[in-house]
Amino acid sequence: MTFPRSAARTAGFSALYLVAMFLGRQTVMDGTNLSLVWPAAGVLALWFGTQRASRWRWLDVLSLAVITMTVNVATGATAALAAVFVAANLMQGCTFAVLVGRWLPEALITGDDGPVLSRLRQFWRLAGIAVLSSAAGTMIGPTGAWLLNRHLLWESAAVWMTRNVVAVVIVVVAGRYLGHPVRGWWRCRGTPRTGPGPWRSLPARKQAEYVAVLVASVVAYHLMFGFGRDLPAAFALIAITVWAGLRLSTGFVILHDLVFGTVAILFTLCGYGPFALIESQAVRALIAQLFVGTVTVVGLSLALSRDERDALTARLRQQARLLTTVIESVSEGIAVVDEENGFLVRNPAIERLLGGFDTTGDRVQSSTYYGLFHPDGTPIADRDLPHRRVFAGERLDPVEMLIRNAGIPEGRIVVVNTALMPGRINGLRHVVVAMHDVTEDRRHRDELANFAGVVAHDLLNPLATVEGWSQALLEDLDDPGALTDGITRIQRASTRMRALIDDLLVYTTARDAALAPAHCDLESLVADIAAGRRDHAQSAGETVPVFRFSGLDPVDGDPVLVRQLMENLIGNAIKYTGSGVTPTITVTTYADTAGPGMTRVEITDNGIGIPAGQHDAVFGNFHRAHVDAGYSGTGLGLAICKRIVERHGGTICASDNPDGRGTRVSFTLPSSRLPARAPTGPHPYRLRPSFERAR
């Protein structure tokens, strides 16, 4: 702070202190030379508290000493008594500045834009500082006066203490709370107002309440101090202060306490009101100051506590809105459920994950209502719902559930995490439920597992062929024809193993990458698959399947995925064949009339067929049409086929074999427009990445 600014502040506070001191000296009690009220104590606290960080504090001390000495001598005090009052005021002001710097630095600072007293904790600290600093001044002032004139009684010391405490609290609070808006108005006095003022922005009902409090205060104080003679009745006026403190702004409460406290003191000085009947001037002053102090403390305590409550409520609402926004924006379903199956909180994502099913009456419905199943497809009992198990005392790891209902007929796999909340809300325990959709993750995992299963199966086929024909070679070393046929089969099996290993490497390194369409020779592809299936059946001693295909049209597609598609469909056709029946698989192609530029591929078998009404459902995730027939599987094979076809822009469906028993699976793939690749081995339709690059 610069010297001119500090000096200007010193001059301003000196002027205020001079006026306040002069007014206080007009209320000197007879024979004691002590004032009934002392507003100068409040100005002194505000002065020294604001200037405590100034480098030129000696100017403030000098100005205070000169003013105190001059005014006291001019109003009838002796020079010695005036010197005592100078020492007492300096002690009180310095003590206040030191304590404020330690206990309340945020409330009284040197800057013009410092915060005001806005918390109840700050107010009580200010009251404590006022008591301690006034006590420090009382130890010097009344004691010195008693030593000089021997007329000071204990009541007078109590008056000194009480008047200074009340003055410090009222003046400091009023100065700091109302000073900032006054300075703001002064700085902007030449700026046109852009909106309605504080009064006009209030609702009409609130304006009427302000007017009612003012009218009630004027009437009540006039009746009480103009005509009342009963001491306890005066303190009944605190009811109006309570009304204002609970309902109206803190600034209004401060002004109300200041104005009507002054009214009570003026009536008492003029001999009116219940306090004027007290014969002892010291006791009269003490009671009057206690009344003003009580009104101030009650009003400010209520107003500041209400402000804190409103501010806390506003922050909580803001945090609640933020939390609500976060919860509603996340893709994971989140809910808080009580032990009576009621929802405390739930976000839109949980409704979406449950297939769009709304919850009637904000209560958790039965598991059958939502269509909840274990991953193996068995229904979940209500008692086994994750939140019910937590309420029963179990410590659960994440639980997987299958959701299948009218909203998500294809099914959805979710992982459910649960946690018991500490404590109780409305007397009930609550569990937090978090639901995460892992359908795509599980689909990727199961696609890889399915592909690995296909590859493992097809790797076992050539291995069995190699083993079987190697043994045959050992037994037929003398037969050249048998040797040639066996070696040919072994070479074909080893070539197929290499191709499958290459495909597995490509798939595991790029299964989520974009499609890599290429010219796919379906004729060669089906021939290769058929040869592998026949070789495996012969070496395993099983019924050798019969394949019928000829002149298959080529298509454009990702070679790895097209092979997996054909392997899955042909493998299913062989797998789901009745006992004692020779599997017969017919593969045909023709231009699709419904989709220009598409080739329709049909695979027809003579197997056990698909139960009626399930021809569409078999392409859903985890659907198994023959659960009780003893056939193993995950229910994902045809779902993976559907995904492969749809990634190529085609469609797939299943129907009964029109020529008899069995099933026909029909799908479309893009007709071939890409040039055929140069052969790189026995299967020219296949992309052949190098082993080193695949690694």
Side-chain angles (χ1 to χ4, degrees):
M1 182 185 299
T2 62
F3 177 77
R5 187 175 184 183
S6 179
R9 282 189 170 185
T10 299
F13 278 117
S14 297
L16 287 176
Y17 184 74
L18 177 62
V19 173
M21 191 173 182
F22 179 78
L23 294 176
R25 290 295 294 171
Q26 303 308 307
T27 64
V28 172
M29 295 183 292
D30 295 339
T32 62
N33 211 16
L34 290 177
S35 301
L36 175 64
V37 294
W38 195 243
V43 176
L44 172 63
L46 194 61
W47 180 2
F48 274 46
T50 303
Q51 290 287 86
R52 72 182 187 278
S54 173
R55 291 181 294 172
W56 296 277
R57 290 188 297 273
W58 58 270
L59 281 177
D60 302 297
V61 173
L62 179 61
S63 178
L64 172 69
V66 171
I67 294 173
T68 303
M69 194 75 181
T70 302
V71 173
N72 277 281
V73 171
T75 54
T78 64
L81 186 59
V84 170
F85 291 158
V86 169
N89 289 339
L90 283 174
M91 175 61 74
Q92 179 170 334
C94 292
T95 303
F96 183 88
V98 171
L99 293 179
V100 162
R102 288 179 176 271
W103 295 351
L104 207 59
E106 73 277 10
L108 291 172
I109 65 174
T110 57
D112 290 335
D113 298 324
V116 298
L117 285 164
S118 58
R119 298 180 182 177
L120 187 60
R121 174 180 58 84
Q122 293 176 329
F123 173 71
W124 287 118
R125 286 190 178 184
L126 174 63
I129 293 172
V131 170
L132 293 177
S133 60
S134 298
T138 303
M139 293 175 62
I140 297 177
T143 302
W146 176 77
L147 291 175
L148 291 175
N149 55 34
R150 303 291 179 175
H151 292 299
L152 191 65
L153 303 175
W154 70 267
E155 294 94 341
S156 299
V159 170
W160 177 294
M161 177 76 176
T162 305
R163 72 175 191 182
N164 284 12
V165 171
V166 173
V168 168
V169 171
I170 293 179
V171 174
V172 170
V173 171
R176 297 307 297 178
Y177 201 96
L178 303 177
H180 291 293
V182 170
R183 279 196 296 270
W185 169 81
W186 178 259
R187 291 171 180 173
C188 302
R189 64 188 183 280
T191 304
R193 181 175 294 173
T194 57
W199 174 255
R200 292 187 178 181
S201 62
L202 292 175
R205 180 177 297 179
K206 183 60 70 175
Q207 292 178 347
E209 189 170 7
Y210 275 98
V211 173
V213 169
L214 286 175
V215 172
S217 299
V218 171
V219 173
Y221 274 80
H222 178 70
L223 292 176
M224 186 60 59
F225 285 92
F227 304 98
R229 298 299 182 189
D230 188 6
L231 179 61
F235 284 86
L237 295 174
I238 296 177
I240 299 178
T241 301
V242 172
W243 179 9
L246 291 175
R247 299 283 301 168
L248 306 181
S249 69
T250 303
F252 177 85
V253 173
I254 294 173
L255 288 175
H256 181 274
D257 294 345
L258 182 62
V259 170
F260 287 97
T262 303
V263 168
I265 294 297
L266 291 176
F267 269 107
T268 302
L269 286 173
C270 296
Y272 295 99
F275 304 146
L277 297 178
I278 302 175
E279 295 182 0
S280 172
Q281 292 184 352
V283 175
R284 182 193 312 166
L286 181 62
I287 297 299
Q289 292 292 343
L290 287 175
F291 171 77
V292 175
T294 302
V295 169
T296 301
V297 169
V298 170
L300 284 177
S301 297
L302 292 174
L304 291 175
S305 62
R306 184 205 60 223
D307 289 347
E308 280 194 273
R309 183 185 67 248
D310 292 344
L312 177 60
T313 302
R315 288 197 299 270
L316 291 176
R317 287 176 178 171
Q318 182 180 9
Q319 293 176 0
R321 287 194 296 268
L322 176 62
L323 182 60
T324 300
T325 302
V326 171
I327 291 177
E328 291 184 350
S329 63
V330 297
S331 58
E332 285 75 14
I334 298 175
V336 179
V337 183
D338 62 38
E339 52 191 336
E340 294 181 353
N341 283 338
F343 279 112
L344 180 65
V345 175
R346 56 175 174 163
N347 68 344
I350 201 165
E351 180 179 334
R352 176 184 57 80
L353 291 176
L354 291 172
F357 273 50
D358 194 9
T359 301
T360 306
D362 287 334
R363 298 187 63 80
V364 180
Q365 303 300 313
S366 65
S367 60
T368 55
Y369 177 83
Y370 300 111
L372 304 181
F373 301 87
H374 292 289
D376 61 3
T378 58
I380 297 178
D382 289 344
R383 66 177 180 277
D384 292 331
L385 290 173
H387 70 280
R388 300 306 307 170
R389 294 172 63 185
V390 172
F391 282 131
E394 293 188 47
R395 297 179 61 89
L396 290 185
D397 293 328
V399 177
E400 284 194 5
M401 294 194 309
L402 168 63
I403 304 174
R404 181 183 288 118
N405 50 46
I408 39 176
E410 71 279 5
R412 174 177 290 142
I413 292 291
V414 297
V415 172
V416 180
N417 292 273
T418 51
L420 183 65
M421 293 180 61
R424 293 174 180 264
I425 301 176
N426 297 327
L428 298 175
R429 295 180 300 164
H430 288 74
V431 167
V432 178
V433 179
M435 188 178 294
H436 177 61
D437 187 357
V438 295
T439 305
E440 288 299 320
D441 295 337
R442 296 299 181 267
R443 180 181 290 120
H444 288 163
R445 184 192 67 183
D446 292 328
E447 283 179 359
L448 180 59
N450 178 270
F451 181 78
V454 170
V455 172
H457 181 272
D458 286 350
L459 284 175
L460 289 175
N461 287 347
L463 282 175
T465 301
V466 169
E467 291 176 354
W469 288 102
S470 297
Q471 183 65 33
L473 287 177
L474 292 175
E475 296 174 356
D476 299 325
L477 290 177
D478 297 331
D479 185 353
L483 288 174
T484 301
D485 182 59
I487 292 172
T488 300
R489 292 176 182 271
I490 291 173
Q491 288 179 337
R492 188 165 58 195
S494 62
T495 300
R496 188 159 54 252
M497 288 177 63
R498 177 182 293 277
L500 290 171
I501 291 173
D502 287 345
D503 286 348
L504 179 60
L505 290 172
V506 172
Y507 184 82
T508 54
T509 56
R511 65 185 178 90
D512 291 324
L515 295 177
H519 177 87
C520 296
D521 186 350
L522 287 185
E523 184 82 16
S524 299
L525 172 60
V526 174
D528 181 62
I529 295 174
R533 296 288 177 173
R534 284 193 293 263
D535 289 346
H536 171 71
Q538 289 176 354
S539 61
E542 299 174 354
T543 303
V544 178
V546 176
F547 290 89
R548 296 173 180 171
F549 60 93
S550 178
L552 300 180
D553 297 326
V555 296
D556 286 342
D558 189 298
V560 175
L561 295 180
V562 171
R563 179 180 181 86
Q564 184 181 2
L565 170 66
M566 299 301 293
E567 288 276 13
N568 278 1
L569 294 177
I570 292 174
N572 270 2
I574 296 174
K575 175 181 177 180
Y576 292 101
T577 301
S579 178
V581 178
T582 299
T584 302
I585 295 91
T586 303
V587 183
T588 58
T589 61
Y590 58 89
D592 185 39
T593 57
M598 304 295 287
T599 295
R600 182 166 294 278
V601 182
E602 292 182 345
I603 300 177
T604 307
D605 63 56
N606 62 337
I608 61 176
I610 298 174
Q614 298 190 39
H615 291 85
D616 292 331
V618 292
F619 294 101
N621 290 322
F622 318 108
H623 184 88
R624 298 179 61 199
H626 301 284
V627 178
D628 301 326
Y631 294 96
S632 62
T634 63
L636 281 168
L638 290 179
I640 293 173
C641 292
K642 180 181 179 182
R643 186 161 183 256
I644 292 173
V645 171
E646 290 178 347
R647 288 191 67 188
H648 286 81
T651 59
I652 187 170
C653 62
S655 61
D656 293 333
N657 184 352
D659 298 327
R661 184 181 178 87
T663 301
R664 171 176 290 174
V665 177
S666 176
F667 60 91
T668 57
L669 292 174
S671 301
S672 179
R673 295 185 179 87
L674 299 174
R677 292 178 178 266
T680 56
H683 311 297
Y685 66 88
R686 180 183 291 110
L687 283 174
R688 182 79 64 180
S690 69
F691 185 80
E692 292 296 325
R693 186 176 62 185
R695 286 190 298 181

